[in-house]
Amino acid sequence: MKYGELIAEMTLEEKASLMSGKDFWQTQDIERLGINSIFLADGPHGIRRQAVASNKMGLNQGVPATCYPTAATVANSWNAELGEKVGEYLGEEAVSQKVHVLLGPGVNMKRNPLCGRNFEYFSEDPYLAGKMAAGYIRGIQAHGVSACVKHFAVNNQEEKRMTIDTIVDERTLREIYLTAFEIAVKEGNTKSIMSSYNKLNGTYTNENKHLMQDILRREWGYTGTVITDWGGSNDRLQGLLAGNELEMPTTSGETDREIIAAIKKGEIDEAILDESVDRLLDLVFSTESAIDRSKTEFDMEKHHRVSQKVAEESIVLLKNDDDILPLKFGKKVAVIGDFAQNARYQGAGSSLVNPTILDHTMDSFEESGILSIGYEPGFERYGKRNQQMIDRACILAKKADVVLLYIGLDEVTEAEGLDRKDMKIPENQVDLLHAIHEVNPNIIAIISCGSAVEMPWIDKVKGLLHSYLGGQAGARAILRVLSGDVNPSGKLAETYPLKYEDTPSYRHFPGREATVEYREGLFIGYRYYDTADINVLFPFGYGLSYTTFEYSDINIDRQGVSFRLTNTGSKAGMEVAQLYVGCRSDKIFRPSKELKGFTKVLINAGESKTIQIPFDDKTFRYFNVATNQWEKESAEYKIMIGSSSADIRLTDTIYIEGTDAQLPYDKEKLHSYYTGKVNNVSKDEFEQLIGRELPDPSWDRDKPLGYNDTIAQCQYAKGLFGRIAYHTIVFTHHFLWKIGKRSTANIIMMSILNLPFRGIARMTGGIVNMPMLDGILMMVNGHFFKGLWHTVKEKVKLQKIHKVVKTKGSQ
């Protein structure tokens, strides 16, 4: 152990105390041994160090920090070096704000377009997500502070996220849902990882030894710290045994006492605790030395300009009929849409950043050179139809040569803790679009949202620019692309289906009660659409430019592929060249193509460059469930170079000598997977894939409610108190939504209704402990007065414990 001598000086109580937080955002300190607290803060795209004291619970406003484009946006740049630059500036701000651990980036897969937190994740593809994440991590940790990759693992829905059991086969787990984490660990060298809330195949992830020990520690060689998501600890002892060092937030010593008691009884070897303490101390000491106590400021203007550059490179041009873009000089432009005046530039929930500077579209026209003749909001932000707004917008549109129509999804539609209800743009915005088209067909739509949307109205617009969520400088970045000052180079990091029903997981998303089944297996995103030959609106990797590129002269050897890329247009531009690989054998089912490399290149007009994309350890591998390890199949592989997954420009083949491992599947029993048509896999076939019977997907309504049941399940509680509590919460949610307090209503849904009962103890910072929770459960389960007395009695005991601890601490 690295800190064995220091650990030998600690008492058992001191060692146990380090395993949970001091408060909501800090680790515990041991003053006599020179071990200080370190501070953790939300930070996927900007630091949210809350302005109030760290012992205050809730999603409180952060001190001002640069709000960079979200991960879903930056992924569209396909530029890992750009991600590293974002990381570097995030790390600098972390140091200035005395933040030791930045809770991000998030690398969960975009399994389904409706996941409410997709704006915080990179891609539907693990290779792209992993490479982008590794860049972020290197940048952040270059300043000595720690990144914290999240949420490990298979956390792909927000509804019931703290209790849902994700049912996924081992191969899909490894190839799709863990590969990005693997790259983050091996190439990014992340110092910390955040475990997810959910169960994985029946076991909570932070207690899952297969995930935490077999894969993370042994196979990947990870030696860093594992931190629970806030309130994400179920059984603290099982978490410790699995190698989960830090439980957040504080439980005011309750779980520390559980660890101490278990060691004294011989249930846990103290050496296990020592190992966890050693890893945590490494995080504490390595990050503490990076914090410059004298540095309290950073260059806000410089960081703002960097944020703008990142947004510019991440904007995706999706449609450009009649070369309506870039805007011609002197064209009279009408600006319509609430998002033009009040930009939608970031997500919601724990990632909400308080920006240092915020650019506004209407304030930036003069420097853009675009001639605006006026602005109309056109629609009410949260969906209410307003004909007068539409009429005024149409009057303005008639006077213009071109209409810039700013549309998208509002802040309460895409939010942590909730999943979207559909893939649609709000109807009042679509009504506005149709009305404007009748008076002026020259419409350029600018979409702001963090995930895929349906576009049945796309034939009504000539130009379509997707800014995603572009951060605090996003408004100015959009105008620079519209004006032609910036040649767009973003490409989609996710597929846009024609309609939600086309997605392979739509029959099994989200899991509504006890489980969610990943019946589509490997075939998410383009892996499904391309293999099953399903038409899409925009393919993975798609994006237009103001110039054109020609691919030629492919050459393949054992090290990789090279080819020639020529800018055949009249403007300098950046192209994202993408390497896909497809195995021509049919012995083991695989997608028709998989991303295995990419590069982004700046090429001047008329210039040619020779591009090389190397093969790596992931190019030809697959996970074999029979041998329980990565293998290569001896086969001919199709090598494809494309401008998107659907626009393959060059192809060739190479024969790879494999490991000739045992075949893992009975082809006759897995027809859906061998054809890739997995949108309606039967229960029997999925059970054949996972090798066991499926658990019951429904809640057990006959048994009393327990620690891991959600407050939403009080709807069928045996006690009247529980049912009244449920209906009161639901009524409050609907009432707040109705009167426009939508963010507050969302917090009720996220933080109360979908909270498991154990979360009452785990998330209240020691105000409620588990014995008190036993009393609350008695009340819910039909023993109101007995439960009330038990709760009061245990509260008194808890207050006495806190008093004793406080007295000892002051001595």
Side-chain angles (χ1 to χ4, degrees), residues 324-426:
I324 196 169
L325 287 172
L327 288 167
K328 310 299 185 288
F329 181 77
K331 290 284 186 181
K332 294 183 294 183
V333 170
V335 183
I336 297 172
D338 182 71
F339 293 144
Q341 181 69 39
N342 303 297
R344 171 85 200 287
Y345 61 94
Q346 66 171 322
S350 63
S351 67
L352 194 67
V353 178
N354 181 14
T356 55
I357 303 168
L358 184 58
D359 286 344
H360 295 282
T361 302
M362 303 312 298
D363 298 333
S364 305
F365 270 102
E366 188 173 339
E367 67 182 70
S368 72
I370 298 172
L371 178 61
S372 168
I373 64 169
Y375 163 75
E376 285 291 342
F379 60 84
E380 293 194 14
R381 194 175 190 90
Y382 297 109
K384 185 178 179 183
R385 197 177 192 282
N386 187 320
Q387 187 60 47
Q388 290 182 333
M389 279 187 165
I390 293 175
D391 292 342
R392 287 196 295 269
C394 288
I395 291 169
L396 179 64
K398 282 181 183 179
K399 302 173 184 177
D401 298 317
V402 176
V403 176
L404 298 182
L405 181 60
Y406 285 75
I407 56 178
L409 300 178
D410 59 66
E411 297 82 354
V412 298
T413 299
E414 293 182 291
E416 180 181 352
L418 304 163
D419 295 313
R420 289 161 58 196
K421 293 181 173 62
D422 55 49
M423 275 185 65
K424 303 178 189 301
I425 292 284

Side-chain angles (χ1 to χ4, degrees), residues 459-585:
D459 61 325
K460 296 294 197 302
V461 301
K462 287 188 176 180
L464 181 61
L465 204 68
H466 203 326
S467 67
Y468 270 67
L469 302 176
Q472 64 182 49
R476 182 174 270 106
I478 290 167
L479 290 177
R480 282 175 53 78
V481 171
L482 292 172
S483 69
D485 289 339
V486 170
N487 189 350
S489 62
K491 298 204 174 206
L492 294 175
E494 60 188 316
T495 308
Y496 276 53
L498 287 166
K499 59 184 185 301
Y500 177 60
E501 290 75 15
D502 290 340
T503 59
S505 59
Y506 93 95
R507 284 185 171 87
H508 298 281
F509 181 93
R512 294 292 183 187
E513 294 192 359
T515 70
V516 57
E517 298 170 3
Y518 284 33
R519 292 198 189 186
E520 71 281 358
L522 301 171
F523 298 93
I524 72 166
Y526 72 91
R527 285 170 166 79
Y528 167 67
Y529 300 113
D530 290 356
T531 306
D533 196 23
I534 306 296
N535 289 331
V536 299
L537 180 63
F538 295 114
F540 176 76
Y542 175 85
L544 301 174
S545 170
Y546 295 152
T547 190
T548 53
F549 297 94
E550 182 180 276
Y551 293 69
S552 62
D553 302 335
I554 188 171
N555 183 56
I556 300 173
D557 59 27
R558 296 289 165 182
Q559 280 68 52
V561 58
S562 64
F563 54 94
R564 197 157 183 77
L565 189 58
T566 304
N567 184 335
T568 53
S570 59
K571 299 179 185 227
M574 287 186 279
E575 172 69 339
V576 178
Q578 302 155 41
L579 164 64
Y580 296 90
V581 175
C583 182
R584 289 192 159 180
S585 167

Side-chain angles (χ1 to χ4, degrees), residues 412-458:
V412 298
T413 299
E414 293 182 291
E416 180 181 352
L418 304 163
D419 295 313
R420 289 161 58 196
K421 293 181 173 62
D422 55 49
M423 275 185 65
K424 303 178 189 301
I425 292 284
E427 193 173 340
N428 65 335
Q429 297 182 36
V430 178
D431 290 343
L432 171 66
L433 170 57
H434 287 301
I436 290 173
H437 185 264
E438 290 182 7
V439 300
N440 189 337
N442 295 318
I443 300 171
I444 300 167
I446 299 98
I447 303 178
S448 297
C449 59
S451 190
V453 293
E454 294 174 358
M455 302 182 192
W457 39 262
I458 195 169

Side-chain angles (χ1 to χ4, degrees), residues 21 40 104 139 205 207 405 525 541 551 554 587 665 682-683 763 770:
L40 302 88
T205 56
E207 303 168 12
L405 181 60
Y551 293 69
I554 188 171
K587 293 178 180 178
Y665 301 117
S682 69
K683 178 175 179 287
M763 291 287 278
M770 295 301 280

